[in-house]
Amino acid sequence: MTTTLYVGNLPWSLTDDELAQAFSIHAAVKSSRVITDRETGRSRGFGFVEVDDEDAQRVIAAMNGSKIGGRVIVVNEAKPRQSRF
């Protein structure tokens, strides 16, 4: 099984591949996605990384508070998406 991690305060220019590369130091990354604005296509400054369940807590401990592109990132377990209705 996999755990999805929320990654916040990302540099605006960061790509999906660069996000995966930053996390791959600590665990095998199943998927990574930087969230973009639907209208402009620009990064919204956060994304998600999927790792194996047994790696999740170790990755959070290692990456939360670390820097990517000069910005201190926030990493925690992603919460299920709330319904908009």
Side-chain angles (χ1 to χ4, degrees):
M1 297 295 293
T2 60
T3 299
T4 302
L5 305 178
Y6 165 84
V7 187
N9 201 34
L10 294 174
W12 303 116
S13 61
L14 195 77
T15 66
D16 294 349
D17 289 340
E18 291 169 334
L19 180 60
Q21 193 173 37
F23 278 76
S24 66
I25 297 165
H26 301 287
V29 174
K30 303 296 182 191
S31 70
S32 64
R33 196 170 85 217
V34 174
I35 304 304
T36 55
D37 183 276
R38 286 185 190 156
E39 312 273 315
T40 65
R42 287 190 57 221
S43 169
R44 293 185 57 201
F46 70 96
F48 297 96
V49 174
E50 202 172 32
V51 297
D52 287 329
D53 287 344
E54 60 267 14
D55 295 330
Q57 292 306 315
R58 182 171 42 81
V59 171
I60 291 169
M63 294 297 290
N64 188 40
S66 66
K67 285 188 177 183
I68 294 180
R71 296 184 71 147
V72 177
I73 61 168
V74 174
V75 181
N76 52 45
E77 196 167 325
K79 309 281 188 279
R81 189 171 183 177
Q82 297 295 317
S83 173
R84 291 184 178 195
F85 302 104

